Amino acid sequence: MLGFLSARQAGLEDPFRFQRAEATRRVLGLELNKDRDVERIHGSGVNTLDIEPVERRYMLSGGSDGVIVLYDLENSTRQPYYTCKALCSIGRNHADVHKYSVETVQWYPHDTGMFTSSSFDKTLKVWDTNTLQTADVFNFEETVYSHHMSPVATKHCLVAVGTRGPKVQLCDLKSGSCSHILRGIFFFEMTTTLT
C-alpha cells in the first residue's frame, strides 16, 4: 500500500485505482450472515428485494409466483440466531395480487406508507402499506421489466418504467398518468474491411 501511495503522490498512478482496488477487496470479503434467516412465504423464486430507506427495518420481496411479502428485519428476540418474520403478504387470494411474476418492488423513498410493484402482467401498482390495497394502477401495452423512483427527487413523484419495447415511460404518481415517453434510439455501425 505504501508503494501505491508513493506512486500516487508522484502522479504515476490513477487517483481512482486505489478506490477501485479497495472496493473490490471489500466486496470479495463479503459473506452471508449465518445468524439470520428469513421466513419462507414464496412458493417459488424471489425476483426482487427492497429495504425501506427511512429506518432500514422493513423489507419487501416480490416473487415469480406474483406474491409480495413484507418482512420485519428487527431482531426483537435479541438472540444471536433469529428468523425475520413476515408481517403480511399480498398472496394469491388477494384481490389486487399481480397475475404474473413480480419483477420489481420499491419503497417510496421518503415514506414507508407507500410502495410500488411492477410485474409481467403489464402493470405498475402503487400500494398503501397500512391497508395493503392498491392506491393506483398503471396499465401498459407491453410487459413491464423494471421500474425505479429517484431517491433524491423532492419536486416530483415520477416513476421510470422499463417495458419490453425500446422506451422508458415516466409515470406521475401525483396526477396518475404517464407523463412522458423516452424513446430509445439504436445506432448500428457497420465495419467493412478491405482484403
Side-chain angles (χ1 to χ4, degrees), residues 23-194:
T24 301
R25 185 189 68 77
R26 287 181 181 182
V27 167
L28 293 175
L30 289 176
E31 292 182 12
L32 292 175
N33 186 341
K34 295 173 179 65
D35 299 329
R36 186 181 298 189
D37 200 1
V38 176
E39 183 179 5
R40 183 178 174 166
I41 302 294
H42 292 283
S44 55
V46 175
N47 293 341
T48 179
L49 299 169
D50 193 32
I51 297 174
E52 57 89 11
V54 178
E55 297 177 59
R56 302 212 176 273
R57 177 178 173 178
Y58 301 104
M59 179 177 72
L60 289 168
S61 67
S64 59
D65 53 3
V67 173
I68 299 171
V69 182
L70 172 61
Y71 293 95
D72 186 352
L73 301 178
E74 186 174 73
N75 182 359
S76 57
T77 65
R78 304 292 181 231
Q79 298 296 319
Y81 179 82
Y82 69 100
T83 299
C84 299
K85 298 293 182 189
L87 295 176
C88 55
S89 67
I90 300 167
R92 299 304 314 157
N93 59 352
H94 192 282
D96 296 322
V97 69
H98 282 288
K99 291 181 179 96
Y100 303 118
S101 176
V102 175
E103 295 305 305
T104 308
V105 291
Q106 185 181 11
W107 288 99
Y108 185 70
H110 309 292
D111 181 9
T112 59
M114 187 169 72
F115 66 91
T116 55
S117 64
S118 58
S119 167
F120 274 5
D121 64 8
K122 302 179 183 180
T123 63
L124 167 72
K125 295 185 178 186
V126 182
W127 297 88
D128 181 324
T129 307
N130 298 316
T131 65
L132 290 183
Q133 300 297 317
T134 53
D136 205 351
V137 178
F138 294 87
N139 293 294
F140 299 91
E141 294 175 2
E142 298 173 309
T143 301
V144 176
Y145 288 131
S146 182
H147 75 272
H148 190 74
M149 290 179 281
S150 170
V152 295
T154 57
K155 296 185 179 185
H156 67 77
C157 293
L158 296 177
V159 181
V161 180
T163 62
R164 185 171 175 226
K167 62 185 173 190
V168 173
Q169 297 184 47
L170 299 180
C171 299
D172 188 344
L173 298 182
K174 287 183 182 178
S175 70
S177 65
C178 288
S179 58
H180 294 80
I181 295 176
L182 308 174
R183 298 202 185 278
I185 300 173
F186 298 97
F187 295 98
F188 295 97
E189 180 180 321
M190 294 186 65
T191 307
T192 58
T193 56
L194 298 174

